[in-house]
Amino acid sequence: MKPFEIHRIPKEDFHDSLSLSEFAFQYEVPKEDRERRISLLKEKECWGAYVEGKLAARLSIHDMHTWVNGKRFAMGGIASVATWPEYRRGGMVASLIGNALQVMREQGQYLSFLHPFQFAFYRKYGWETYTETKKYEIQTALLPKLPAQPGRVVRVNENIELLNSIYRQYAVRYNGALDRDEAWWTNRIFANKKGSAAVYYDESGAPAGYVHYIVKDRICQIHELVYLHQQAWRGLWKFIADHDSMIEKVKVNVPADDRLPFLLDNPRIQQVLEPYFMARIVDAERFMELYPFASKADADAAGKLILNISDSHAEWNEGEFVLDIGANGKVTVHKQPGGGTAEGIPAVSCGIGTLSAMLMGYQRPAFLHEIGRLEGDSAAVRLLETIIPDNQTYLPDFF
């Protein structure tokens, strides 16, 4: 294999970059849309491995933000990882990923998400599953049977300011949902998901939910169903059910903890739970310093624990970290210089992927300890159970 170098992809190579993505992911951008797609690429986000000046492999680091326990975090979204076949298995992807970790750390993106083509492949590099998507297919006859609801539903088309104001209140409740901007709504939501948007206004006149959907071939495909309270949920499902004369079934994706079947007269609808995106902590110390641990004003929860982290792809994450839990619930984090676990302090050990799944809220410390992914003292596990909020993960987007 010839030597390669890694650097940002300049604008003059964006056509080559798009061609590589088309080949690797087996799609074709229509000629009339090609320039628009290229205009969305940003030099800052596109990285390539070059052999003798020719683009051989590529990777994007999208500049994004996400919510974790109600706090907004900068996040590096890894996407479009691709290599021409003649250059595969030469270490280019591993080098691009190693470079991406360095870049994200420098940019303050202490958390990273990606959609894997294969989960096992990215686990090798420290990413771990963090969220699932539940998919429903509901025959029209099985839709919720609801009486007329208070409030009203109004079609709004592409009113980004209104829709995003509702979405943001909804998304902040979930770990791993994106904080969208206007460009995301324009280029990712409305450009890729055709249809109509309708907003539910509750009894007080406040916008409290929306549905973005399309009806085609007697199927109602709901792109997104967002609601801030149960009245909004009922109002929107009543609106959807009122399409019964023109549809045979409804398809919708929802958070993994959605309880719609329990609310139906006949809960025997088709539902599939699918692992979706992966997450990785890029810089463990910086991330945990910012992480909103649970506030437990309980002297019994006070104490210290040692967290021993292994990370073969980011040496700055290797080592022992002391978590000091105050009686007021405040947690401070610092790395032990030179290692050496302090005697008498409960300690646990895990890899960076396990830590990512745990702090994202996808898996609880007690379960990870039970299956051997979190090793060490039960007392340390109990402390982690106390200070890590129990919050649902969800990502309604794709990149």
Side-chain angles (χ1 to χ4, degrees):
M1 175 67 69
K2 294 181 179 179
F4 59 88
E5 59 179 19
I6 292 174
H7 57 74
R8 285 189 169 92
I9 301 174
K11 287 184 178 179
E12 54 266 28
D13 288 352
F14 280 0
H15 279 280
D16 291 342
S17 179
L18 182 56
S19 294
L20 172 53
S21 292
E22 287 178 298
F23 179 86
F25 302 112
Q26 301 177 45
Y27 69 93
E28 184 176 351
V29 177
K31 289 182 179 179
E32 62 273 16
D33 193 40
R34 196 172 184 83
E35 291 304 320
R36 185 191 70 85
R37 289 288 294 271
I38 287 174
S39 71
L40 299 178
L41 299 177
K42 302 174 183 176
E43 282 189 86
K44 179 185 177 183
E45 297 182 346
C46 300
W47 289 84
Y50 283 79
V51 175
E52 296 179 340
K54 182 180 178 181
L55 181 64
R58 54 121 37 239
L59 172 153
S60 292
I61 308 171
H62 294 306
D63 184 10
M64 311 174 90
H65 290 83
T66 188
W67 303 102
V68 180
N69 301 331
K71 185 171 182 176
R72 187 174 183 264
F73 281 82
M75 184 271 288
I78 300 298
S80 303
V81 183
T83 310
W84 288 110
E86 59 268 32
Y87 297 110
R88 289 177 185 165
R89 296 174 179 83
M92 290 184 183
V93 167
S95 294
L96 282 167
I97 288 174
N99 176 74
L101 290 171
Q102 290 275 5
V103 170
M104 288 188 289
R105 188 187 188 210
E106 292 167 3
Q107 295 179 162
Q109 297 164 322
Y110 303 138
L111 188 61
S112 175
F113 296 166
L114 60 77
H115 183 263
F117 78 96
Q118 186 182 86
F119 285 82
F121 178 84
Y122 284 104
R123 280 195 177 111
K124 295 185 302 183
Y125 297 104
W127 276 264
E128 184 52 270
T129 313
Y130 91 83
T131 193
E132 298 160 331
T133 296
K134 187 182 289 187
K135 299 183 176 183
Y136 293 142
E137 283 196 17
I138 311 169
Q139 299 300 315
T140 304
L142 301 182
L143 289 170
K145 304 294 191 296
L146 296 165
Q149 296 295 306
R152 60 196 176 96
V153 175
V154 179
R155 293 186 182 277
V156 297
N157 297 319
E158 298 181 7
N159 188 331
I160 293 174
E161 183 177 0
L162 174 59
L163 295 174
N164 197 49
S165 69
I166 304 168
Y167 165 80
R168 209 165 190 261
Q169 294 176 73
Y170 175 79
V172 73
R173 302 173 180 177
Y174 294 98
N175 288 357
L178 298 186
D179 186 16
R180 298 171 180 168
D181 58 17
E182 184 176 350
W184 188 269
W185 279 95
T186 300
N187 300 317
R188 296 282 187 157
I189 305 297
F190 294 128
N192 297 329
K193 299 177 180 180
K194 303 302 182 183
S196 304
V199 169
Y200 172 79
Y201 291 83
D202 63 21
E203 287 180 288
S204 71
Y210 67 82
V211 59
H212 181 209
Y213 72 108
I214 187 170
V215 174
K216 186 177 181 180
D217 299 329
R218 299 192 62 78
I219 296 173
C220 176
Q221 176 67 61
I222 298 176
H223 302 310
E224 193 162 57
L225 179 67
V226 168
Y227 54 93
L228 304 184
H229 48 61
Q230 279 300 303
Q231 184 187 109
W233 182 92
R234 290 191 294 270
L236 289 169
W237 271 112
K238 177 66 167 65
F239 172 74
I240 294 163
D242 284 343
H243 290 68
D244 57 350
S245 65
M246 57 189 298
I247 61 173
E248 295 174 359
K249 62 182 174 181
V250 171
K251 294 183 178 182
V252 61
N253 296 348
V254 295
D257 65 346
D258 186 84
R259 296 292 182 264
L260 171 67
F262 182 73
L263 302 171
L264 299 178
D265 290 345
N266 182 353
R268 288 176 174 163
I269 61 172
Q270 181 177 321
Q271 49 184 312
V272 177
L273 190 64
E274 291 186 358
Y276 191 39
F277 261 67
M278 305 180 84
R280 189 200 206 282
I281 295 171
V282 173
D283 188 316
E285 186 173 12
R286 299 285 86 78
F287 181 73
M288 288 191 291
E289 285 175 345
L290 297 170
Y291 186 83
F293 288 98
S295 295
K296 301 286 186 182
D298 180 357
D300 294 335
K304 290 185 178 181
L305 68 89
I306 298 287
L307 183 57
N308 195 320
I309 302 171
S310 58
D311 188 344
S312 58
H313 294 278
E315 49 84 19
W316 55 84
N317 288 331
E318 287 269 349
E320 292 181 350
F321 297 82
V322 179
L323 277 65
D324 193 343
I325 308 158
N328 62 353
K330 182 174 175 58
V331 178
T332 58
V333 181
H334 68 270
K335 191 172 185 179
Q336 287 271 82
T341 303
E343 191 173 341
I345 299 180
V348 287
S349 302
C350 67
I352 193 67
T354 296
L355 182 68
S356 302
M358 182 168 61
L359 293 185
M360 285 301 297
Y362 179 63
Q363 299 294 349
R364 297 302 300 173
F367 171 71
L368 293 168
H369 186 244
E370 180 184 345
I371 64 173
R373 291 276 297 269
L374 184 66
E375 300 179 331
D377 303 325
S378 296
V381 175
R382 287 194 295 272
L383 279 172
L384 287 171
E385 282 285 349
T386 300
I387 65 175
I388 297 175
D390 189 2
N391 205 18
Q392 179 65 39
T393 62
Y394 182 47
L395 177 63
D397 289 299
F398 177 84
F399 58 86

